[in-house]
Amino acid sequence: MTFSPNRVAVVTGGAQSIGRAVVDRLSKAGVDIVIADIQLEKAQASAREVTAASGRRAIGLGVDVSSTKAAGEMIEAALAQMGRIDILVNNAGTTRDNLIMRMDEADWDKVIDINLKGAWNCSKAVIRAMMKARYGRIVNMASVSGLAGQAGQTNYSASKAGLIGFTKALAREVASRGITVNAVAPGFIPTPLTDVLPAELKEGLTKMIPVGRMGTTDEIAYAVEFLAADEAAYITGHVLSVDGGMVMM
């Protein structure tokens, strides 16, 4: 996988977990990085670490992706400081799991606003610059929960299913301008979002995975790198499941 010189990527939720793994892979591949995270200090610290490790330009910006205004300001700041944006990875996400009988409206709204509206906000903010450049790679972080559903996750599953539909619709809109839009659907990956799950639930989920183990954040980052690379120009509107065979469709 190769990247033309001076490519710039914005990774939301890029200061931790899967987002940080994506940042590390892209920077090592020669891409300059904007780490956009709700935790500004952590984003800035991560940017310093990335530059020290890879020698690439990296900056950290604070953003609440659920805010249209904040997302727009983040993209404006990234363009002003980096000069261009070639790759957008919509990775920022959250969970508020509960059975529907016990789920608060606020928990539904929060997950939809961050996971789905957040991707719309950031994509809308960056798309004009990509269309002007006649080049772009947008990679959305979906989930197997968006493909198959998961009990106790009506909000999360709906947000990720919506993100898959968003991916396909946007891919059709911008394909003629040299912009691809794809999604990665991780399976069961150890992250802070899954750490809170009961041990018996984790064991049960692992038994559902044909390869017999959980995945790693780097395996997800590899899939993102593939879809973001120059060679992936003929792949768009695709959902790449990285789940050890957990959901086969």
Side-chain angles (χ1 to χ4, degrees):
M1 291 177 283
T2 58
F3 295 85
S4 297
N6 304 315
R7 293 284 190 224
V8 175
V10 172
V11 182
T12 68
Q16 55 195 322
S17 193
I18 290 174
R20 180 57 193 269
V22 170
V23 163
D24 289 342
R25 267 205 167 269
L26 291 180
S27 61
K28 289 174 184 176
V31 178
D32 293 331
I33 302 291
V34 177
I35 300 174
D37 201 283
I38 198 163
Q39 300 181 64
L40 174 58
E41 291 184 1
K42 196 167 186 177
Q44 292 173 331
S46 296
R48 291 190 292 270
E49 292 168 1
V50 167
T51 297
S54 68
R56 303 308 308 179
R57 287 193 303 160
I59 61 172
L61 298 176
V63 65
D64 174 1
V65 297
S66 68
S67 165
T68 304
K69 181 174 183 292
E73 290 174 347
M74 180 273 291
I75 293 296
E76 287 179 6
L79 286 168
Q81 294 185 54
M82 304 297 271
R84 59 192 290 173
I85 297 173
D86 304 286
I87 301 161
L88 170 65
V89 182
N90 284 310
N91 169 75
T94 191
T95 57
R96 298 287 191 278
D97 294 352
N98 218 329
L99 297 175
I100 193 168
M101 293 183 298
R102 299 172 183 167
M103 185 178 293
D104 294 333
E105 182 182 1
D107 289 337
W108 169 271
D109 290 344
K110 187 72 171 180
V111 171
I112 296 296
D113 283 348
I114 293 175
N115 296 3
L116 182 54
K117 186 182 178 185
W120 184 86
N121 283 336
C122 294
S123 299
K124 181 176 174 62
V126 80
I127 205 69
R128 190 178 300 275
M130 287 185 173
M131 291 182 73
K132 185 176 180 180
R134 301 192 71 85
Y135 181 91
R137 299 281 188 271
I138 297 176
V139 183
N140 298 317
M141 197 61 65
S143 169
V144 293
S145 293
L147 292 169
Q150 180 64 42
Q153 288 192 325
T154 53
N155 50 3
Y156 185 77
S157 296
S159 72
K160 295 302 185 177
L163 189 57
I164 289 169
F166 169 76
T167 297
K168 294 176 181 290
L170 183 57
R172 290 186 182 277
E173 284 188 22
V174 299
S176 65
R177 303 305 290 268
I179 303 167
T180 66
V181 188
N182 294 288
V184 173
F188 193 28
I189 312 296
T191 70
L193 295 183
T194 60
D195 288 344
V196 298
L197 296 175
E200 59 271 19
L201 178 56
K202 292 181 183 179
E203 184 179 348
L205 288 170
T206 302
K207 289 180 180 178
M208 296 168 57
I209 304 171
V211 301
R213 66 171 178 85
M214 295 181 285
T216 68
T217 56
D218 192 58
E219 286 172 321
I220 305 305
Y222 178 80
V224 174
E225 181 186 8
F226 166 68
L227 292 172
D230 289 359
E231 294 95 332
Y234 205 58
I235 304 170
T236 197
H238 183 71
V239 182
L240 176 57
S241 294
V242 186
D243 60 3
M246 189 175 181
V247 176
M248 299 186 188
M249 300 183 71

